[in-house]
Amino acid sequence: MLIKLFTFYIYLQSALCGCSSDKRNSDFERLRKNYKVSIERIGRLDDRIKESSGFAFATDTTYWSNPDSGIAPELYEFNLSGELLKTEKLDLPNTDWEDLAQSKTGELYIGDFGNNANLRRDLRIYKLHAGSLQIQDTIRFQFSDQQGFPPVRKNRHYDLEAFFHHNDSLYLFTKSRALKPLTKLYKLPASGTNHDLQPIEEMRLKSPVTAADIVANGSRFALLGYGRLYLFEQEGGQIGFEGRRYCLPVGRTGQAEAVLFLSPNQLLLSNEKGKLYLVTIEPK
């Protein structure tokens, strides 16, 4: 109950305050300053798609979503209207599935790493074959900089709901449970096990991060938060927080949980109630 109340408090703060604090603390620019932006509600997920928490491509025009914790381990294939096309049952545990990532060749990665209380010592990612969805690997890891399970309240930055695949690596973005949230970025090999991760970077963000995705050519990635969409422009093939970064208030979407680039200028979002939104970004 305390975690739910804290989440609701942070959501209200983030949704109502716009991007002013992110601009002040971390040099974000307003996205609408340089881009034309539209946010359109396009549908709602079928009620049988439970607690949609991540997105990936199933085909060119259909998509996978995963459930959150406490729900049967399965993937849901749907279209942009939210229609359920198929339910794929998986023989995997679901301790707390949070996000999906995908390689360029189609392998799926399921992040079983939700860590609300910062207590878990069994963080893992399942790698699935692109066609058969058979499990190929279980990637286990831990944060080497985490002191205490849980740490003191001000250091509870080790919840995790967001990651993506790029150039044979997985990039993880933590979700903070502290009153002054920050996001830590970790890089993880996309195979193997028992990886001990050191943070690459960290950044103050007003909103805890709930999902992530990257465009195919690696030139831009997105972090989704409560009431905000953060965009990071990338150069030189390195993934990080350097370079131009933008903040877009998306409070009308509610508590958003999943994000996917449909193209470099268009993103699909969903919220905890299953509503689907299309965000289109075009240069002015």
Side-chain angles (χ1 to χ4, degrees):
M1 177 60 73
L2 287 177
I3 288 175
K4 289 183 178 179
L5 288 174
F6 178 77
T7 299
F8 182 66
Y9 167 73
I10 294 295
Y11 165 69
L12 283 180
Q13 274 200 322
S14 300
L16 296 175
C17 295
C19 289
S20 57
S21 59
D22 292 302
K23 181 179 179 182
R24 182 174 60 254
N25 293 329
S26 300
D27 296 323
F28 279 86
E29 301 178 56
R30 290 186 304 107
L31 185 64
R32 294 183 187 273
K33 182 176 72 173
N34 296 326
Y35 292 89
K36 294 183 292 184
V37 180
S38 67
I39 305 173
E40 175 188 7
R41 181 179 167 184
I42 59 171
R44 183 170 185 155
L45 293 171
D46 187 290
D47 288 341
R48 291 170 292 176
I49 299 177
K50 303 295 186 183
E51 297 286 338
S52 172
S53 190
F55 286 155
F57 282 94
T59 69
D60 289 342
T61 57
T62 65
Y63 312 92
W64 292 117
S65 185
N66 63 285
D68 208 328
S69 61
I71 299 172
E74 51 197 21
L75 296 175
Y76 311 108
E77 185 178 358
F78 68 97
N79 59 23
L80 287 182
S81 297
E83 296 173 293
L84 177 62
L85 306 177
K86 181 169 65 174
T87 298
E88 188 77 30
K89 298 186 182 300
L90 301 176
D91 187 19
L92 294 171
N94 177 3
T95 301
D96 193 352
W97 291 5
E98 287 293 350
D99 201 6
L100 296 176
Q102 194 165 39
S103 71
K104 288 184 178 180
T105 51
E107 289 90 358
L108 275 182
Y109 297 83
I110 301 175
D112 189 351
F113 45 43
N115 191 18
N116 286 344
N118 284 217
L119 286 169
R120 285 187 67 177
R121 297 175 185 263
D122 61 344
L123 304 173
R124 59 203 172 202
I125 295 169
Y126 303 115
K127 179 181 178 181
L128 307 183
H129 185 272
S132 68
L133 297 181
Q134 294 298 306
I135 186 167
Q136 293 183 305
D137 201 358
T138 299
I139 306 165
R140 301 179 187 275
F141 64 95
Q142 55 275 334
F143 300 120
S144 63
D145 58 318
Q146 180 172 352
Q147 302 297 316
F149 293 83
V152 296
R153 171 63 71 181
K154 67 178 182 179
N155 293 330
R156 291 186 189 176
H157 306 305
Y158 299 98
D159 194 3
L160 182 57
E161 295 189 9
F163 76 138
F164 57 70
H165 182 281
H166 181 67
N167 287 349
D168 297 322
S169 294
L170 297 165
Y171 291 86
L172 318 178
F173 301 86
T174 63
K175 179 181 182 181
S176 181
R177 293 285 176 179
L179 288 175
K180 293 183 178 180
L182 60 83
T183 288
K184 296 191 177 194
L185 166 60
Y186 298 83
K187 183 178 179 180
L188 171 66
S191 61
T193 191
N194 294 327
H195 298 287
D196 195 38
L197 304 186
Q198 287 283 353
I200 298 172
E201 291 183 84
E202 61 183 47
M203 175 173 280
R204 277 282 303 275
L205 296 177
K206 182 64 176 179
S207 174
V209 173
T210 60
D213 197 27
I214 189 169
V215 299
N217 64 10
S219 63
R220 172 186 291 169
F221 72 84
L223 301 181
L224 184 62
Y226 298 157
R228 289 174 172 81
L229 178 67
Y230 300 106
L231 292 177
F232 297 81
E233 305 292 348
Q234 303 295 286
E235 295 181 1
Q238 299 297 315
I239 302 301
F241 296 139
E242 297 297 325
R244 301 191 76 167
R245 45 189 177 267
Y246 300 93
C247 179
L248 174 69
V250 289
R252 61 180 287 189
T253 64
Q255 187 174 322
E257 296 287 347
V259 64
L260 179 69
F261 275 103
L262 303 184
S263 74
N265 296 314
Q266 202 163 61
L267 301 99
L268 178 67
L269 275 60
S270 74
N271 66 16
E272 63 175 357
K273 298 186 181 299
K275 295 178 182 178
L276 294 172
Y277 294 87
L278 201 59
V279 179
T280 303
I281 302 165
E282 298 288 350
K284 288 186 176 178

